[in-house]
Amino acid sequence: MCLSIPSKIKSIDTEMNTCIVDTMGVERGASLDLIDQDVVVGDYVLIHIGFAMNKINEEDAMESLKVYQEIIEKMEEQDRLEAIAQSDNCPNR
């Protein structure tokens, strides 16, 4: 299962129409080809299969990230490792 975790835009490459986002401390690239809103560095977006799909406000992003952090803290170490391994199987572009 792929979950869309709020990701903060760290940089934008306007030539390639891509961005680098920070998702709970992990940086990855994402395409801006499918988002229908203007975004700038510092905005929060939801990523799906390597594409920024929606911009969300910071308050909603912080609330979601808080819930994700609570879930992570309650998981057993083995469950965390399995969740990470499964997330690596989600297509990212």
Side-chain angles (χ1 to χ4, degrees):
M1 172 178 25
C2 297
L3 298 176
S4 189
I5 300 170
S7 303
K8 186 174 187 175
I9 296 178
K10 304 298 279 183
S11 65
I12 296 175
D13 181 337
T14 56
E15 205 171 292
M16 297 298 293
N17 203 34
T18 59
C19 62
I20 300 295
V21 297
D22 180 302
T23 308
M24 297 183 77
V26 176
E27 289 191 1
R28 56 181 49 119
S31 172
L32 295 171
D33 288 341
L34 298 181
I35 194 162
D36 62 355
Q37 300 160 291
D38 292 330
V39 294
V40 296
V41 171
D43 282 344
Y44 284 87
V45 293
L46 297 176
I47 307 294
H48 180 66
I49 62 169
F51 290 89
M53 302 300 284
N54 300 88
K55 181 167 84 169
I56 62 172
N57 68 50
E58 186 172 6
E59 182 181 337
D60 290 341
M62 292 296 104
E63 184 62 31
S64 291
L65 290 170
K66 179 181 171 186
V67 171
Y68 280 113
Q69 190 60 44
E70 289 172 4
I71 292 168
I72 289 168
E73 289 171 0
K74 291 180 180 181
M75 294 173 78
E76 297 291 331
E77 182 63 21
Q78 184 60 36
D79 292 334
R80 287 183 200 162
L81 295 174
E82 287 177 23
I84 291 167
Q86 288 176 2
S87 72
D88 289 341
N89 294 325
C90 291
N92 61 8
R93 272 189 258 156

